[in-house]
Amino acid sequence: MVAKTFGSAVSGVDAKLITIEVNVGQGTGFFMVGLPDSAVKESQQRVESALKYFGYRMPRQKAVINLAPADIRKEGSSYDLPIALGILKASEQVNFPGLESYVIMGELSLDGQLRPVKGVLPIAIEARKRGFKGFILPLENAPEASIVNNLDIIGVNSLNEAIDFLEGTMEITPMVTDTRDLFFNSVENYEFDFADVQGQENIKRAMEIAAAGGHNVIMIGPPGAGKTMLAKRLPSILPPLTLQEALETTKIHSVAGKLGRNASLIAQRPFRSPHHTISDVALVGGGGNPQPGEISLSHNGVLFLDELPEFKRTVLEVMRQPLEERKVTISRAKVSVDYPANFMLIASMNPCPCGYYNHPEKECVCGPGIVQRYLNKVSGPLLDRIDLHVEVTPVKFDEMTSTRKTESSKSIRDRVIIGRDIQVERFKDKPDVFCNAMMPSHVVKEVCQINEAGKTLLKTAMERLGLSARAYDRILKVSRTIADLAQSKEIKVEHLAEAIQYRSLDREGWAG
């Protein structure tokens, strides 16, 4: 007899339907076909042990299991449950009248209990799209899958519960999550707030501009000046995620297995801060079975690279293309996968190896040429993609001990949202541009018109400060964002003057 169950394979951030066909007939042996990897093949031992634990038997006849379509590689242990149920039906030990109405996934332990699996959210989305009645899966994964409406999410703890449910002897209420209610209740629950930061008003202003225009930022300053503290608070002033962005972000974290137990929708913008020993594959994504890297895990959020010059040069260079294209394509001999990577890059660095070059009080002990060599670890093409260069100076003692209340993240965020709304209206006819930082050169010429006084100021600044040609577009984009924050239709001289301040690494005193 042939029995069919349905599972799913995740490719990139999308899922593909897999049909698991089980045929039990004359002969002996257990055969699994359809391009399974080692973990899928090993399911024979887990399934046999789980069946015996609950008093069922593994058929002693010839059992052939086909995972179709056969040209897609099947990986992982999440096919255990549909294979076990298929074997029970094909060997006529049980009768499941509605088996083919459900997508089924789950890893079995030797005693028949279910362990959670990765990539549940894209599988649930695909199951709904294909018109399935429901999705049977481990109970720990159920909150994540229940984000998808119009699909019965049946969370089970063991193989026996799945059997009882399908036979109709046990009733399980489908798990339901009010996605909108969950989303709007947790969208503003931020762990960090700018109200905690004393002083550093100029850096807060730069962060506000970065958040309003989606600009990348690099902070240069001595140790202990507050660079990391400020970076951690940036997500709290970014516009809240839309429901669509939240689903996109949750899908990526689900595929990577980063959601944790009983997790559901990600409602806050992600903040990722990898250590400087990270490899280029871990940053961009990849591996034999391509997985999303840190740049995709920070999609719709912030990627913070602390101590930028300490990262391997090859690691930094692989970010250049994703920063421009807002996605990353991972190509292997047998597979090519696209992962979204629309993130804000926030980097921080010391000005020199000892950390005290240009310090107002402490003296730098680095020898001649060492500062330049240290700064040159960060390549020009990467700096070219960073709009704001901000010098962070240590907070004075009086400011640190001040009891004066500083501005909260919420009030800064309100201004940022107004600035972003202006940009959404401006770029409504340009499908690939959502904020000022994304403007290509021809759009910059069209949108960032400056008057004669502005041109004179910009020319003088470029000559006197030794600004490079690449700084020109960046200054215009940033000044456009500053004008949007001021709700000004035109870029005024004061907006340009403020933007020019944020190009310190282009000056001759720094990177030459």
Side-chain angles (χ1 to χ4, degrees):
M1 180 182 174
V2 176
K4 275 187 188 178
T5 61
F6 293 95
S8 188
V10 176
S11 172
V13 289
D14 297 313
K16 292 175 180 170
L17 189 70
I18 301 295
T19 306
I20 297 140
E21 300 168 331
V22 183
N23 182 22
V24 176
Q26 286 185 337
T28 56
F30 185 94
F31 303 94
M32 192 174 292
V33 295
L35 217 58
D37 74 347
S38 298
V40 181
K41 286 177 183 170
E42 287 164 0
S43 68
Q44 179 188 353
Q45 311 304 326
R46 293 190 294 270
V47 167
E48 186 169 356
S49 176
L51 289 175
K52 283 180 179 174
Y53 190 85
F54 290 118
Y56 299 99
R57 58 180 171 77
M58 197 72 164
R60 291 289 158 246
Q61 299 143 286
K62 182 181 177 183
V64 179
I65 293 160
N66 179 38
L67 308 170
D71 59 341
I72 297 173
R73 188 155 182 78
K74 323 302 182 301
E75 292 166 325
S77 53
S78 54
Y79 299 99
D80 292 359
L81 184 58
I83 287 170
L85 294 170
I87 287 170
L88 286 173
K89 185 171 183 183
S91 59
E92 300 181 338
Q93 295 180 64
V94 290
N95 180 33
F96 298 137
L99 184 63
E100 293 181 22
S101 307
Y102 293 90
V103 168
I104 304 166
M105 295 299 274
E107 178 189 336
L108 286 170
S109 61
L110 297 183
D111 62 355
Q113 299 302 303
L114 281 172
R115 293 196 172 103
V117 296
K118 293 196 293 188
V120 160
L121 181 57
I123 294 169
I125 291 167
E126 180 67 12
R128 182 181 65 181
K129 196 165 87 179
R130 295 279 189 147
F132 282 90
K133 182 185 177 186
F135 183 12
I136 299 172
L137 75 170
L139 188 61
E140 284 181 27
N141 289 128
E144 180 190 333
S146 65
I147 295 168
V148 179
N149 55 15
N150 301 326
L151 185 73
D152 290 353
I153 303 300
I154 309 298
V156 290
N157 281 312
S158 66
L159 171 63
N160 211 32
E161 277 188 24
I163 293 166
D164 291 345
F165 170 75
L166 286 165
E167 281 189 311
T169 57
M170 179 181 183
E171 198 172 307
I172 298 175
T173 307
M175 186 172 283
V176 178
T177 298
D178 186 338
T179 314
R180 291 183 182 278
D181 192 44
L182 171 76
F183 177 67
F184 291 115
N185 280 344
S186 51
V187 76
E188 291 190 10
N189 295 343
Y190 290 102
E191 189 181 348
F192 302 106
D193 197 290
F194 269 100
D196 308 330
V197 182
Q198 294 291 345
Q200 302 292 27
E201 297 305 323
N202 59 326
I203 320 298
K204 286 185 194 171
R205 170 67 178 167
M207 288 293 193
E208 183 181 333
I209 294 164
H215 301 289
N216 300 323
V217 183
I218 185 165
M219 294 182 279
I220 314 108
K227 302 186 290 292
T228 306
M229 186 184 189
L230 287 154
K232 280 184 178 174
R233 282 154 179 75
L234 181 63
S236 69
I237 63 168
L238 287 168
L241 284 170
T242 63
L243 197 51
Q244 184 59 39
E245 285 176 330
L247 276 167
E248 258 180 34
T249 308
T250 309
K251 259 170 90 172
I252 296 166
H253 285 248
S254 172
V255 168
K258 304 283 186 191
L259 276 183
R261 295 186 169 192
N262 301 310
S264 55
L265 194 66
I266 292 175
Q268 274 110 35
R269 292 192 179 272
F271 178 87
R272 305 291 298 182
S273 178
H275 193 259
H276 62 254
T277 53
I278 191 171
S279 69
D280 45 0
V281 170
L283 187 71
V284 174
N289 170 29
Q291 290 289 300
E294 289 291 336
I295 63 171
S296 295
L297 292 169
S298 52
H299 177 62
N300 290 324
V302 175
L303 178 68
F304 176 49
L305 302 184
D306 203 0
E307 306 298 347
L308 190 68
E310 302 302 330
F311 283 80
K312 290 196 287 288
R313 196 178 181 97
T314 53
V315 171
L316 297 179
E317 295 310 299
V318 292
M319 278 202 308
R320 282 156 54 175
Q321 196 178 353
L323 277 168
E324 288 288 318
E325 296 184 1
R326 313 268 167 179
K327 67 171 185 177
V328 60
T329 303
I330 300 161
S331 297
R332 296 291 177 266
K334 292 180 181 173
V335 68
S336 181
V337 180
D338 281 349
Y339 285 117
N342 182 12
F343 60 94
M344 273 180 71
L345 174 65
I346 307 298
S348 77
M349 60 185 281
N350 293 332
C352 66
C354 80
Y356 297 109
Y357 179 67
N358 273 357
H359 194 282
E361 290 154 16
K362 296 187 182 178
E363 200 161 323
C364 174
V365 296
C366 299
I370 288 179
V371 176
Q372 201 60 52
R373 198 153 58 245
Y374 184 74
L375 293 170
N376 286 345
K377 284 185 178 180
V378 184
S379 71
L382 182 64
L383 281 178
D384 186 25
R385 289 159 173 79
I386 298 176
D387 298 347
L388 295 163
H389 306 165
V390 188
E391 288 182 60
V392 185
T393 51
V395 182
K396 294 186 174 72
F397 182 77
D398 294 345
E399 284 180 331
M400 215 184 300
T401 54
S402 168
T403 53
R404 182 173 64 88
K405 280 194 91 172
T406 58
E407 195 172 23
S408 72
S409 289
K410 187 182 183 307
S411 56
I412 300 171
R413 186 166 67 246
D414 291 342
R415 293 197 296 272
V416 167
I417 290 168
I418 291 167
R420 282 283 179 112
D421 288 344
I422 292 168
Q423 291 163 55
V424 167
E425 181 62 29
R426 176 183 300 134
F427 302 125
K428 65 184 177 187
D429 300 329
K430 297 177 174 65
D432 297 329
V433 183
F434 304 105
C435 57
N436 290 335
M438 293 183 179
M439 283 191 282
S441 293
H442 68 276
V443 179
V444 172
K445 287 191 178 79
E446 178 193 318
V447 168
C448 305
Q449 303 279 341
I450 51 174
N451 57 25
E452 286 305 315
K455 285 177 186 170
T456 308
L457 172 68
L458 201 45
K459 185 184 176 195
T460 309
M462 292 190 79
E463 287 170 358
R464 287 207 185 152
L465 299 173
L467 294 178
S468 65
R470 70 169 175 252
Y472 178 75
D473 265 14
R474 304 285 160 188
I475 288 170
L476 287 178
K477 285 182 184 181
V478 173
S479 57
R480 180 65 265 171
T481 302
I482 294 167
D484 289 342
L485 281 169
Q487 296 178 47
S488 165
K489 286 190 177 175
E490 292 149 19
I491 297 173
K492 297 179 179 170
V493 173
E494 59 266 31
H495 303 146
L496 268 171
E498 187 177 356
I500 289 163
Q501 288 184 102
Y502 300 125
R503 295 303 303 178
S504 54
L505 281 180
D506 283 320
R507 294 178 200 165
E508 285 170 349
W510 283 97

